[in-house]
Amino acid sequence: EAQVTQNPRYLITVTGKKLTVTCSQNMNHEYMSWYRQDPGLGLRQIYYSMNVEVTDKGDVPEGYKVSRKEKRNFPLILESPSPNQTSLYFCASSLITGDPYEQYFGPGTRLTVT
Amino acid sequence: AQSVTQLDSHVSVSEGTPVLLRCNYSSSYSPSLFWYVQHPNKGLQLLLKYTSAATLVKGINGFEAEFKKSETSFHLTKPSAHMSDAAEYFCVVSDSSGGSYIPTFGRGTSLIVHP
């Protein structure tokens, strides 16, 4: 089954404790991205990647890091989480040739930073 | 530059009545436009997309949208609402210029369906 998976689905942590949210897709998509969703703000892009070893900032990259060492994986790293990073996070992927921009989303990771 | 405005944060309808969710966009180039639906505690699912092939786009679950360039609109409609349509809906625009792959999401419209 074609899908985007994220882990963990729920995470409660404390300020300053480094964490990683994993994202994996099995569709051989070149493009992967991370979003955060906050009430009344829709989805805002954090980082995106056009392919292996190619990443770029989205609209709200501060406080986040990403890496793309393999095509299928795109982990999101919070080196020193803060309470303002409490949010619902989505990973997504898509092709960049043929039928671009149609993104497939993971189920989301709800992060709480206390 | 691109932007998208969803004109209503909440829309409330009765089951069996028509649905209209409004979306206006701004784009410097030929845009790709999408509607996604998010059911409670779920990820986003593509409803339909416009990529210049046809101005009237049909999607899943009976939804459709019409691209109107003169009005810079891409409103989502459905003739008859069902209880299962209650969800959050997002309009998304993405310029197809210069290989830009940063989509812009609207803030969402919450569709409430009353029995």
Side-chain angles (χ1 to χ4, degrees), chain A residues 31 37 45 50 99 102-103, chain B residues 36 38 49 101-103:
Chain A
Y31 179 88
Q37 182 180 20
Q45 191 175 54
M50 299 292 287
D99 196 2
E102 176 183 344
Q103 295 190 74
Chain B
Y36 284 85
Q38 183 183 26
K49 61 184 177 182
Y101 290 93
I102 304 179

Side-chain angles (χ1 to χ4, degrees), chain B residues 67-82:
Chain B
F67 173 70
K68 292 187 176 180
K69 187 175 181 178
S70 61
E71 299 176 12
T72 60
S73 69
F74 190 57
H75 301 334
L76 182 70
T77 61
K78 182 174 181 178
S80 176
H82 192 273

